[in-house]
Amino acid sequence: MKRVLLFLCQGFEELEAAVFTDVLGWTRMEGDQPVELITAGLRPKLKCTWNMIVEPEMKFDDIKADDYDALAIPGGFDGAGFYEDAYDERFLDLIRQFDKKGKLIASVCVGAMPVGKSGVLKNRTATTYDLSGGHRRSQLTEMGVKVLDQRIVVDNNIITSTGPATGLDVAFTLLERLTSHEHMMEMKRHMRFID
């Protein structure tokens, strides 16, 4: 069974995490290629952007990159403390471990920022949130990333996107890369995105 580590930073946006828990959760109810999802973070309790409190399943110190096929990173808000965890060196090193092993890394919105900060996107293509004056894209460019004006960018093993509305597409893209196009389409049918 494929396994995905959903990394939750303080101040993460609930919707952007839920796309992964739901899409991958459905694989364990329907179809023949279940994907296990484990949540982890740097703190025992996390306050989300919109004040929901979440307890990750796994302590950070217990994470072993070898145990997972992919890393999923929802974005969040600066004012909710997102970058306190997102730019923590322990998390940046975890991102480097996943990339070094060629494992999939899927981010939504500003979830791309720690991926860029880790250095693994240097001289590669990606995208991130484009509104609010485009300052996140400017920051990503300063990290040596070739920022593309696209909703979703896939550069080898790394998937990045522009905002919450792209979250489901990122989750389905991740599922397709982990399993197959046919399996991903089957989950879309079961979830009623298509007939």
Side-chain angles (χ1 to χ4, degrees), residues 41-47 53-60:
L42 292 169
R43 308 165 191 238
K45 281 191 179 179
L46 298 155
K47 189 173 184 181
I53 304 294
V54 172
E55 294 182 24
E57 298 165 86
M58 177 174 282
K59 293 178 183 171
F60 184 82

Side-chain angles (χ1 to χ4, degrees), residues 23-73:
V23 169
L24 300 179
W26 272 82
T27 69
R28 297 189 303 280
M29 298 296 291
E30 303 289 349
D32 59 358
Q33 296 180 68
V35 178
E36 186 179 8
L37 181 96
I38 306 293
T39 58
L42 292 169
R43 308 165 191 238
K45 281 191 179 179
L46 298 155
K47 189 173 184 181
C48 306
T49 294
W50 312 119
N51 296 327
M52 185 184 291
I53 304 294
V54 172
E55 294 182 24
E57 298 165 86
M58 177 174 282
K59 293 178 183 171
F60 184 82
D61 291 342
D62 294 335
I63 298 171
K64 294 180 182 69
D66 285 337
D67 293 345
Y68 300 92
D69 301 285
L71 174 64
I73 310 168

Side-chain angles (χ1 to χ4, degrees), residues 76-141:
F77 280 75
D78 196 2
F82 179 74
Y83 294 95
E84 293 170 25
D85 292 1
Y87 285 175
D88 187 291
E89 186 56 38
R90 293 169 293 174
F91 179 41
L92 300 182
D93 187 58
L94 183 67
I95 293 169
R96 293 179 198 114
Q97 289 177 46
F98 270 78
D99 184 64
K100 188 175 182 181
K101 296 170 185 293
K103 295 173 184 280
L104 292 166
I105 299 172
S107 68
V108 180
C109 194
V110 296
M113 300 307 293
V115 184
K117 184 87 167 169
S118 74
V120 303
L121 277 172
K122 195 163 178 125
N123 299 317
R124 295 173 69 179
T125 57
T127 193
T128 193
Y129 192 64
D130 58 331
L131 301 181
S132 300
H135 68 285
R136 294 295 176 209
R137 285 192 173 180
S138 297
Q139 290 172 339
L140 204 56
T141 300

Side-chain angles (χ1 to χ4, degrees), residues 145-161:
V145 182
K146 297 173 187 170
V147 177
L148 303 182
D149 186 22
Q150 296 174 12
R151 284 176 55 81
I152 292 181
V153 174
V154 179
D155 187 312
N156 191 15
N157 63 315
I158 299 178
I159 305 162
T160 54
S161 77

